[in-house]
Amino acid sequence: MQPASLIAVKRDGLELSDQQIDSFIGGVTSGAIPDYQATAMLMAIFLRGMSPRETASLTAAMLHSGTRLQWPPDGRPVVDKHSTGGLGDKTSLIIAPLLAECEVLVPMLSGRGLGPTGGTLDKLEAIPGFRTNLSIHELQQQVLQLGCVITGTTHELAPADRRLYALRDVTATVPSIPLITGSIMSKKLAESPHALVLDVKYGSGAFMKTAADAALLAASLVRTGHSMNVATTALLTDMNQPLGAMCGNAVEVLEAVMVMQNHGPLDVRRLSLLLAAHVLVDCKAENSHEAAFVRCEKLLQSGAVYERFLRMVQAQHGDYRLPLKIAPASELTAARSGFLHRIHTEQLGSAVIALGGGRQQTSDTIDHSVGIEMLVRIGDQIEAGQPLVRIYSRNPDVVHQQVLDAMELSDAPLQEHLPLIHSRLTINAGQIEQLAVPDLQVPR
Ligand code: URA
């Protein structure tokens, strides 16, 4: 079928068959379909949506546009975690070595930051020498020897996504649940995992602004994972304020290391442990979330996870003996008293970019030494003159007003508590289930 006829099927709100989707993705991958027709189809999908069957078929076609990682059948489960992105989210740095300590294999292929939330690769590149461009052979070798790797995706894995994502980025077609599902899941499934855990964020700093919208995305991701026989669970987690205190690159590595050394913010620690516990149960390395959580907590406390992190850094040529370069600190204080009512988290993320810690365009270079440290949390009572944030920059004035505007104070205390974990989504007998998450807490 000609590309124009395929586009017409979707334009008219009809379902594309598996063969039609394969033909579209085949043409995108080979270059036979030009940009103008590919973007017309993306817009038709954006406007008309896709059924679960079409979404699964799109994901499979994108996955098969490239190669897949191969693992020896030695009984070790292969697992990964993916986050839809949030400010201050440094859990990958903790979860990869933590899961490796649990004797599962973790080929974590991550991305760079574009827009207000940072990217794991940018954070790790704050460590001098750290390589994030391993070849497929190198990354497989490292996973087999060390248990984990965090590196960039390669041209051989889901190449259709590279082309489609670049087109979506410039045609306002990124926020589409089937297109996001195809993009995320084709890359994750190319790792050939047995189980996946997804951190789907909602709130002022996330793609999805409400828990209800995040649940729709999570359901699509979970359903698609299961359609490819990968045990997939999603946790819906709060992104109405940064995760932890540190937002930036080097400062986030330092905070992740603090968690691995038994300090560091409890929200980062708890979320890392819960995500790890869910994927351990899904890959059958543990029988219950409680047992998995306790096992992970003990491993963190023992220092073994930090040791494994250092070995991963060394294996990827990073020099963690050097103190990481952090820009000079200055504090911003509250102009008035009140209660911290709301944080415009995306605006804080834009402030990190304005300091040089993120990129507006893919070609921008990053200053890893800058960042923002939150000194208060939503619900806190604030006195006039109290420090609200610490800015790490030689030129902090450029973001003063933007950061202050991002923090809304009210006169009355907040009535509702913002839970870190909203719920989890999984599949039972072919049906999506949304359940409460076990109330496992990190000991203080
Ligand atoms: N992350 C991805 O990899 N793809 C999307 O479409 C959105 C977020």
Side-chain angles (χ1 to χ4, degrees), residues 19-78:
Q19 291 84 344
Q20 288 170 330
I21 291 174
D22 278 349
S23 156
F24 172 65
I25 294 299
V28 165
T29 311
S30 68
I33 296 187
D35 285 356
Y36 53 86
Q37 284 180 318
T39 52
M41 178 63 105
L42 290 170
M43 188 55 84
I45 295 173
F46 179 88
L47 295 172
R48 292 291 192 174
M50 276 186 146
S51 68
R53 188 218 27 97
E54 285 177 295
T55 306
S57 176
L58 176 74
T59 307
M62 290 171 72
L63 167 66
H64 295 129
S65 70
T67 181
R68 296 174 76 168
L69 300 184
Q70 309 261 340
W71 305 109
D74 63 5
R76 282 184 293 175
V78 179

Short mmCIF file of all heavy atoms in Angstrom, two decimals, residues 19-78:
data_model
loop_
_atom_site.label_atom_id
_atom_site.label_comp_id
_atom_site.label_asym_id
_atom_site.label_seq_id
_atom_site.Cartn_x
_atom_site.Cartn_y
_atom_site.Cartn_z
N GLN A 19 0.02 -5.51 9.20
CA GLN A 19 0.84 -5.39 7.98
C GLN A 19 1.00 -3.93 7.58
O GLN A 19 2.07 -3.52 7.12
CB GLN A 19 0.18 -6.15 6.80
CG GLN A 19 0.17 -7.65 6.92
CD GLN A 19 -1.01 -8.15 7.78
OE1 GLN A 19 -1.64 -7.38 8.52
NE2 GLN A 19 -1.27 -9.43 7.71
N GLN A 20 -0.07 -3.14 7.73
CA GLN A 20 0.04 -1.72 7.36
C GLN A 20 1.01 -0.99 8.29
O GLN A 20 1.81 -0.15 7.85
CB GLN A 20 -1.36 -1.08 7.41
CG GLN A 20 -2.25 -1.54 6.27
CD GLN A 20 -3.69 -1.12 6.45
OE1 GLN A 20 -4.19 -0.98 7.56
NE2 GLN A 20 -4.39 -0.95 5.33
N ILE A 21 0.97 -1.34 9.58
CA ILE A 21 1.91 -0.71 10.53
C ILE A 21 3.35 -1.13 10.20
O ILE A 21 4.26 -0.30 10.17
CB ILE A 21 1.51 -1.05 11.99
CG1 ILE A 21 0.19 -0.34 12.33
CG2 ILE A 21 2.61 -0.66 12.97
CD1 ILE A 21 -0.41 -0.69 13.67
N ASP A 22 3.54 -2.42 9.91
CA ASP A 22 4.88 -2.91 9.52
C ASP A 22 5.38 -2.16 8.29
O ASP A 22 6.55 -1.80 8.19
CB ASP A 22 4.82 -4.40 9.15
CG ASP A 22 4.86 -5.28 10.38
OD1 ASP A 22 5.13 -4.75 11.48
OD2 ASP A 22 4.58 -6.48 10.25
N SER A 23 4.48 -1.94 7.34
CA SER A 23 4.88 -1.29 6.10
C SER A 23 5.29 0.17 6.39
O SER A 23 6.29 0.66 5.86
CB SER A 23 3.71 -1.40 5.13
OG SER A 23 3.76 -0.42 4.17
N PHE A 24 4.53 0.86 7.26
CA PHE A 24 4.88 2.24 7.61
C PHE A 24 6.24 2.29 8.32
O PHE A 24 7.13 3.06 7.91
CB PHE A 24 3.78 2.83 8.51
CG PHE A 24 4.13 4.18 9.08
CD1 PHE A 24 4.30 5.29 8.25
CD2 PHE A 24 4.31 4.35 10.46
CE1 PHE A 24 4.65 6.53 8.77
CE2 PHE A 24 4.65 5.60 10.98
CZ PHE A 24 4.82 6.68 10.13
N ILE A 25 6.42 1.45 9.33
CA ILE A 25 7.69 1.49 10.08
C ILE A 25 8.86 1.04 9.20
O ILE A 25 9.96 1.60 9.28
CB ILE A 25 7.59 0.64 11.38
CG1 ILE A 25 6.57 1.28 12.34
CG2 ILE A 25 8.95 0.50 12.08
CD1 ILE A 25 6.90 2.70 12.81
N GLY A 26 8.60 0.07 8.33
CA GLY A 26 9.64 -0.36 7.38
C GLY A 26 10.09 0.81 6.52
O GLY A 26 11.28 1.04 6.31
N GLY A 27 9.12 1.58 6.02
CA GLY A 27 9.44 2.73 5.16
C GLY A 27 10.14 3.84 5.93
O GLY A 27 11.02 4.52 5.39
N VAL A 28 9.78 4.00 7.20
CA VAL A 28 10.45 5.01 8.03
C VAL A 28 11.91 4.61 8.26
O VAL A 28 12.83 5.41 8.15
CB VAL A 28 9.71 5.15 9.41
CG1 VAL A 28 10.57 5.90 10.41
CG2 VAL A 28 8.37 5.85 9.23
N THR A 29 12.12 3.33 8.54
CA THR A 29 13.48 2.85 8.86
C THR A 29 14.38 2.90 7.63
O THR A 29 15.54 3.32 7.72
CB THR A 29 13.41 1.40 9.40
OG1 THR A 29 12.41 1.35 10.41
CG2 THR A 29 14.75 0.97 9.99
N SER A 30 13.83 2.50 6.49
CA SER A 30 14.69 2.46 5.29
C SER A 30 14.86 3.84 4.67
O SER A 30 15.75 4.05 3.85
CB SER A 30 14.06 1.53 4.24
OG SER A 30 12.85 2.13 3.76
N GLY A 31 13.99 4.76 5.03
CA GLY A 31 14.05 6.10 4.42
C GLY A 31 13.14 6.20 3.20
O GLY A 31 13.05 7.26 2.58
N ALA A 32 12.46 5.08 2.84
CA ALA A 32 11.59 5.11 1.65
C ALA A 32 10.41 6.07 1.86
O ALA A 32 9.88 6.62 0.90
CB ALA A 32 11.08 3.70 1.35
N ILE A 33 9.99 6.24 3.11
CA ILE A 33 8.91 7.20 3.37
C ILE A 33 9.56 8.54 3.76
O ILE A 33 10.32 8.62 4.73
CB ILE A 33 7.99 6.70 4.52
CG1 ILE A 33 7.30 5.41 4.07
CG2 ILE A 33 6.97 7.76 4.93
CD1 ILE A 33 6.24 4.88 5.01
N PRO A 34 9.29 9.59 2.99
CA PRO A 34 9.92 10.89 3.29
C PRO A 34 9.33 11.52 4.55
O PRO A 34 8.24 11.13 5.01
CB PRO A 34 9.60 11.72 2.05
CG PRO A 34 8.43 11.07 1.41
CD PRO A 34 8.44 9.63 1.78
N ASP A 35 10.04 12.54 5.06
CA ASP A 35 9.62 13.20 6.31
C ASP A 35 8.18 13.69 6.26
O ASP A 35 7.44 13.57 7.22
CB ASP A 35 10.53 14.41 6.62
CG ASP A 35 11.90 13.98 7.14
OD1 ASP A 35 12.10 12.77 7.33
OD2 ASP A 35 12.74 14.87 7.34
N TYR A 36 7.77 14.27 5.10
CA TYR A 36 6.44 14.88 5.07
C TYR A 36 5.34 13.84 5.22
O TYR A 36 4.31 14.09 5.84
CB TYR A 36 6.23 15.78 3.83
CG TYR A 36 6.52 15.13 2.50
CD1 TYR A 36 5.55 14.40 1.84
CD2 TYR A 36 7.77 15.26 1.91
CE1 TYR A 36 5.82 13.80 0.61
CE2 TYR A 36 8.04 14.67 0.68
CZ TYR A 36 7.07 13.93 0.04
OH TYR A 36 7.35 13.34 -1.17
N GLN A 37 5.58 12.64 4.70
CA GLN A 37 4.55 11.60 4.86
C GLN A 37 4.62 10.97 6.25
O GLN A 37 3.59 10.66 6.86
CB GLN A 37 4.69 10.54 3.78
CG GLN A 37 4.16 11.06 2.44
CD GLN A 37 4.27 10.04 1.33
OE1 GLN A 37 5.28 9.36 1.22
NE2 GLN A 37 3.26 9.96 0.48
N ALA A 38 5.84 10.81 6.76
CA ALA A 38 5.98 10.25 8.12
C ALA A 38 5.29 11.18 9.13
O ALA A 38 4.57 10.72 10.03
CB ALA A 38 7.45 10.06 8.47
N THR A 39 5.49 12.50 8.97
CA THR A 39 4.88 13.41 9.95
C THR A 39 3.37 13.49 9.77
O THR A 39 2.64 13.67 10.74
CB THR A 39 5.49 14.83 9.88
OG1 THR A 39 5.43 15.27 8.54
CG2 THR A 39 6.90 14.87 10.37
N ALA A 40 2.89 13.32 8.55
CA ALA A 40 1.43 13.30 8.35
C ALA A 40 0.83 12.11 9.10
O ALA A 40 -0.22 12.23 9.75
CB ALA A 40 1.09 13.23 6.86
N MET A 41 1.50 10.97 9.02
CA MET A 41 1.01 9.79 9.75
C MET A 41 1.09 10.03 11.26
O MET A 41 0.16 9.68 12.01
CB MET A 41 1.83 8.56 9.36
CG MET A 41 1.41 7.32 10.11
SD MET A 41 -0.30 6.85 9.71
CE MET A 41 0.03 5.46 8.64
N LEU A 42 2.19 10.63 11.72
CA LEU A 42 2.32 10.89 13.17
C LEU A 42 1.17 11.79 13.64
O LEU A 42 0.59 11.57 14.71
CB LEU A 42 3.68 11.54 13.48
CG LEU A 42 4.88 10.62 13.32
CD1 LEU A 42 6.19 11.41 13.41
CD2 LEU A 42 4.87 9.51 14.37
N MET A 43 0.85 12.80 12.84
CA MET A 43 -0.23 13.70 13.23
C MET A 43 -1.58 12.97 13.22
O MET A 43 -2.43 13.18 14.10
CB MET A 43 -0.26 14.93 12.31
CG MET A 43 -1.22 16.01 12.75
SD MET A 43 -0.95 16.59 14.46
CE MET A 43 0.35 17.80 14.21
N ALA A 44 -1.77 12.09 12.23
CA ALA A 44 -3.02 11.32 12.20
C ALA A 44 -3.12 10.44 13.45
O ALA A 44 -4.18 10.35 14.08
CB ALA A 44 -3.08 10.48 10.93
N ILE A 45 -2.01 9.82 13.85
CA ILE A 45 -2.03 8.97 15.06
C ILE A 45 -2.27 9.84 16.29
O ILE A 45 -3.05 9.50 17.18
CB ILE A 45 -0.69 8.18 15.20
CG1 ILE A 45 -0.54 7.19 14.05
CG2 ILE A 45 -0.62 7.48 16.55
CD1 ILE A 45 0.82 6.49 13.99
N PHE A 46 -1.60 11.00 16.31
CA PHE A 46 -1.77 11.93 17.44
C PHE A 46 -3.25 12.30 17.60
O PHE A 46 -3.79 12.30 18.70
CB PHE A 46 -0.92 13.18 17.18
CG PHE A 46 -1.03 14.21 18.27
CD1 PHE A 46 -0.19 14.17 19.37
CD2 PHE A 46 -1.98 15.21 18.19
CE1 PHE A 46 -0.30 15.11 20.38
CE2 PHE A 46 -2.09 16.16 19.20
CZ PHE A 46 -1.25 16.11 20.30
N LEU A 47 -3.91 12.60 16.49
CA LEU A 47 -5.30 13.08 16.56
C LEU A 47 -6.31 11.94 16.74
O LEU A 47 -7.30 12.09 17.44
CB LEU A 47 -5.64 13.88 15.29
CG LEU A 47 -4.85 15.18 15.14
CD1 LEU A 47 -5.11 15.81 13.77
CD2 LEU A 47 -5.22 16.17 16.24
N ARG A 48 -6.05 10.80 16.12
CA ARG A 48 -7.03 9.71 16.12
C ARG A 48 -6.77 8.66 17.20
O ARG A 48 -7.63 7.85 17.50
CB ARG A 48 -7.03 9.01 14.76
CG ARG A 48 -7.56 9.88 13.63
CD ARG A 48 -9.04 10.12 13.82
NE ARG A 48 -9.65 10.70 12.63
CZ ARG A 48 -10.96 10.89 12.51
NH1 ARG A 48 -11.77 10.55 13.49
NH2 ARG A 48 -11.45 11.43 11.43
N GLY A 49 -5.53 8.64 17.72
CA GLY A 49 -5.19 7.63 18.73
C GLY A 49 -4.99 6.27 18.09
O GLY A 49 -5.05 6.11 16.85
N MET A 50 -4.70 5.29 18.95
CA MET A 50 -4.53 3.91 18.46
C MET A 50 -5.16 2.97 19.47
O MET A 50 -5.15 3.25 20.68
CB MET A 50 -3.03 3.57 18.34
CG MET A 50 -2.39 4.01 17.04
SD MET A 50 -0.69 3.41 16.93
CE MET A 50 -0.57 3.13 15.17
N SER A 51 -5.67 1.85 18.99
CA SER A 51 -6.21 0.83 19.90
C SER A 51 -5.02 0.13 20.58
O SER A 51 -3.88 0.23 20.09
CB SER A 51 -7.00 -0.20 19.10
OG SER A 51 -6.09 -0.92 18.28
N PRO A 52 -5.28 -0.62 21.67
CA PRO A 52 -4.18 -1.38 22.28
C PRO A 52 -3.50 -2.33 21.28
O PRO A 52 -2.29 -2.48 21.29
CB PRO A 52 -4.88 -2.17 23.41
CG PRO A 52 -6.05 -1.31 23.79
CD PRO A 52 -6.51 -0.67 22.51
N ARG A 53 -4.30 -2.93 20.38
CA ARG A 53 -3.67 -3.84 19.40
C ARG A 53 -2.74 -3.07 18.47
O ARG A 53 -1.62 -3.48 18.20
CB ARG A 53 -4.75 -4.57 18.59
CG ARG A 53 -4.14 -5.65 17.72
CD ARG A 53 -4.73 -5.88 16.34
NE ARG A 53 -5.37 -4.79 15.67
CZ ARG A 53 -4.77 -4.02 14.75
NH1 ARG A 53 -3.51 -4.18 14.43
NH2 ARG A 53 -5.45 -3.05 14.16
N GLU A 54 -3.20 -1.91 18.00
CA GLU A 54 -2.34 -1.12 17.10
C GLU A 54 -1.09 -0.65 17.84
O GLU A 54 0.00 -0.63 17.27
CB GLU A 54 -3.10 0.13 16.61
CG GLU A 54 -4.15 -0.10 15.57
CD GLU A 54 -4.85 1.21 15.24
OE1 GLU A 54 -5.54 1.78 16.12
OE2 GLU A 54 -4.70 1.70 14.10
N THR A 55 -1.26 -0.26 19.11
CA THR A 55 -0.10 0.23 19.88
C THR A 55 0.93 -0.88 20.05
O THR A 55 2.13 -0.66 19.89
CB THR A 55 -0.56 0.77 21.26
OG1 THR A 55 -1.59 1.73 21.06
CG2 THR A 55 0.58 1.39 22.03
N ALA A 56 0.43 -2.09 20.35
CA ALA A 56 1.36 -3.23 20.51
C ALA A 56 2.04 -3.53 19.18
O ALA A 56 3.24 -3.82 19.12
CB ALA A 56 0.60 -4.45 21.01
N SER A 57 1.28 -3.41 18.10
CA SER A 57 1.82 -3.72 16.78
C SER A 57 2.87 -2.66 16.38
O SER A 57 3.93 -2.98 15.83
CB SER A 57 0.65 -3.75 15.80
OG SER A 57 1.10 -3.94 14.51
N LEU A 58 2.57 -1.39 16.68
CA LEU A 58 3.53 -0.31 16.41
C LEU A 58 4.83 -0.55 17.19
O LEU A 58 5.94 -0.43 16.65
CB LEU A 58 2.92 1.04 16.84
CG LEU A 58 3.83 2.25 16.71
CD1 LEU A 58 4.01 2.66 15.24
CD2 LEU A 58 3.28 3.46 17.50
N THR A 59 4.68 -0.93 18.46
CA THR A 59 5.87 -1.17 19.30
C THR A 59 6.69 -2.32 18.74
O THR A 59 7.92 -2.24 18.65
CB THR A 59 5.42 -1.48 20.74
OG1 THR A 59 4.56 -0.45 21.18
CG2 THR A 59 6.61 -1.60 21.68
N ALA A 60 5.98 -3.41 18.36
CA ALA A 60 6.70 -4.58 17.83
C ALA A 60 7.44 -4.20 16.54
O ALA A 60 8.59 -4.58 16.33
CB ALA A 60 5.72 -5.72 17.58
N ALA A 61 6.77 -3.43 15.68
CA ALA A 61 7.41 -3.06 14.41
C ALA A 61 8.64 -2.17 14.68
O ALA A 61 9.69 -2.34 14.03
CB ALA A 61 6.41 -2.32 13.53
N MET A 62 8.51 -1.24 15.65
CA MET A 62 9.66 -0.37 15.97
C MET A 62 10.80 -1.20 16.57
O MET A 62 11.97 -1.00 16.27
CB MET A 62 9.23 0.75 16.92
CG MET A 62 8.32 1.77 16.24
SD MET A 62 7.60 2.95 17.40
CE MET A 62 9.03 3.95 17.82
N LEU A 63 10.44 -2.15 17.43
CA LEU A 63 11.45 -3.03 18.03
C LEU A 63 12.18 -3.80 16.93
O LEU A 63 13.41 -3.88 16.91
CB LEU A 63 10.74 -3.99 19.00
CG LEU A 63 11.52 -5.19 19.49
CD1 LEU A 63 12.70 -4.73 20.36
CD2 LEU A 63 10.63 -6.12 20.31
N HIS A 64 11.41 -4.35 15.98
CA HIS A 64 12.02 -5.18 14.94
C HIS A 64 12.70 -4.35 13.85
O HIS A 64 13.29 -4.92 12.92
CB HIS A 64 10.96 -6.13 14.34
CG HIS A 64 10.47 -7.10 15.37
ND1 HIS A 64 9.14 -7.33 15.64
CD2 HIS A 64 11.13 -7.88 16.26
CE1 HIS A 64 9.01 -8.20 16.62
NE2 HIS A 64 10.22 -8.55 17.01
N SER A 65 12.65 -3.02 13.97
CA SER A 65 13.40 -2.20 13.01
C SER A 65 14.90 -2.30 13.27
O SER A 65 15.71 -1.85 12.47
CB SER A 65 12.96 -0.73 13.09
OG SER A 65 13.39 -0.12 14.31
N GLY A 66 15.26 -2.87 14.41
CA GLY A 66 16.69 -3.00 14.74
C GLY A 66 16.98 -4.35 15.35
O GLY A 66 16.18 -5.28 15.26
N THR A 67 18.13 -4.42 16.00
CA THR A 67 18.56 -5.68 16.60
C THR A 67 18.13 -5.71 18.07
O THR A 67 17.62 -4.72 18.59
CB THR A 67 20.08 -5.82 16.43
OG1 THR A 67 20.49 -7.03 16.99
CG2 THR A 67 20.85 -4.71 17.10
N ARG A 68 18.31 -6.85 18.73
CA ARG A 68 18.00 -6.97 20.16
C ARG A 68 19.22 -7.51 20.89
O ARG A 68 20.01 -8.24 20.31
CB ARG A 68 16.84 -7.94 20.37
CG ARG A 68 15.56 -7.46 19.74
CD ARG A 68 14.48 -8.50 19.84
NE ARG A 68 13.93 -8.55 21.19
CZ ARG A 68 12.81 -9.20 21.51
NH1 ARG A 68 12.15 -9.84 20.61
NH2 ARG A 68 12.36 -9.18 22.74
N LEU A 69 19.35 -7.15 22.15
CA LEU A 69 20.47 -7.68 22.92
C LEU A 69 20.25 -9.17 23.15
O LEU A 69 19.12 -9.64 23.23
CB LEU A 69 20.59 -6.96 24.27
CG LEU A 69 20.81 -5.44 24.21
CD1 LEU A 69 21.02 -4.87 25.61
CD2 LEU A 69 22.00 -5.09 23.32
N GLN A 70 21.37 -9.89 23.22
CA GLN A 70 21.31 -11.35 23.40
C GLN A 70 21.91 -11.70 24.75
O GLN A 70 22.96 -11.16 25.11
CB GLN A 70 22.21 -12.04 22.36
CG GLN A 70 21.99 -11.60 20.96
CD GLN A 70 21.11 -12.58 20.22
OE1 GLN A 70 20.98 -13.73 20.62
NE2 GLN A 70 20.48 -12.12 19.15
N TRP A 71 21.28 -12.60 25.47
CA TRP A 71 21.79 -13.03 26.78
C TRP A 71 21.90 -14.53 26.83
O TRP A 71 21.04 -15.23 26.28
CB TRP A 71 20.85 -12.53 27.89
CG TRP A 71 20.65 -11.05 27.80
CD1 TRP A 71 19.52 -10.40 27.42
CD2 TRP A 71 21.63 -10.04 28.04
NE1 TRP A 71 19.72 -9.05 27.42
CE2 TRP A 71 21.01 -8.80 27.79
CE3 TRP A 71 22.97 -10.04 28.43
CZ2 TRP A 71 21.68 -7.59 27.93
CZ3 TRP A 71 23.64 -8.84 28.56
CH2 TRP A 71 23.00 -7.64 28.32
N PRO A 72 22.94 -15.04 27.52
CA PRO A 72 23.06 -16.50 27.60
C PRO A 72 21.94 -17.07 28.47
O PRO A 72 21.53 -16.41 29.43
CB PRO A 72 24.43 -16.71 28.29
CG PRO A 72 24.75 -15.43 28.95
CD PRO A 72 24.01 -14.34 28.22
N PRO A 73 21.46 -18.26 28.16
CA PRO A 73 20.36 -18.83 28.95
C PRO A 73 20.91 -19.44 30.24
O PRO A 73 20.80 -20.64 30.47
CB PRO A 73 19.79 -19.90 28.02
CG PRO A 73 20.93 -20.28 27.15
CD PRO A 73 21.88 -19.12 27.05
N ASP A 74 21.52 -18.60 31.11
CA ASP A 74 22.15 -19.14 32.32
C ASP A 74 21.27 -18.98 33.55
O ASP A 74 21.71 -19.13 34.68
CB ASP A 74 23.53 -18.49 32.55
CG ASP A 74 23.43 -16.99 32.80
OD1 ASP A 74 22.29 -16.45 32.88
OD2 ASP A 74 24.48 -16.33 32.92
N GLY A 75 20.01 -18.63 33.33
CA GLY A 75 19.06 -18.56 34.46
C GLY A 75 19.02 -17.20 35.13
O GLY A 75 18.12 -16.94 35.93
N ARG A 76 19.99 -16.31 34.82
CA ARG A 76 19.94 -14.99 35.47
C ARG A 76 18.90 -14.12 34.76
O ARG A 76 19.00 -13.90 33.54
CB ARG A 76 21.31 -14.33 35.42
CG ARG A 76 22.27 -14.88 36.45
CD ARG A 76 23.58 -14.14 36.45
NE ARG A 76 24.35 -14.34 35.23
CZ ARG A 76 25.49 -13.71 34.95
NH1 ARG A 76 25.98 -12.83 35.81
NH2 ARG A 76 26.15 -13.96 33.83
N PRO A 77 17.91 -13.60 35.51
CA PRO A 77 16.92 -12.75 34.85
C PRO A 77 17.54 -11.43 34.39
O PRO A 77 18.47 -10.92 35.02
CB PRO A 77 15.88 -12.49 35.94
CG PRO A 77 16.24 -13.34 37.10
CD PRO A 77 17.67 -13.77 36.94
N VAL A 78 17.00 -10.91 33.31
CA VAL A 78 17.42 -9.61 32.79
C VAL A 78 16.29 -8.62 33.09
O VAL A 78 15.13 -8.91 32.77
CB VAL A 78 17.67 -9.68 31.27
CG1 VAL A 78 18.08 -8.32 30.72
CG2 VAL A 78 18.73 -10.73 30.96
#
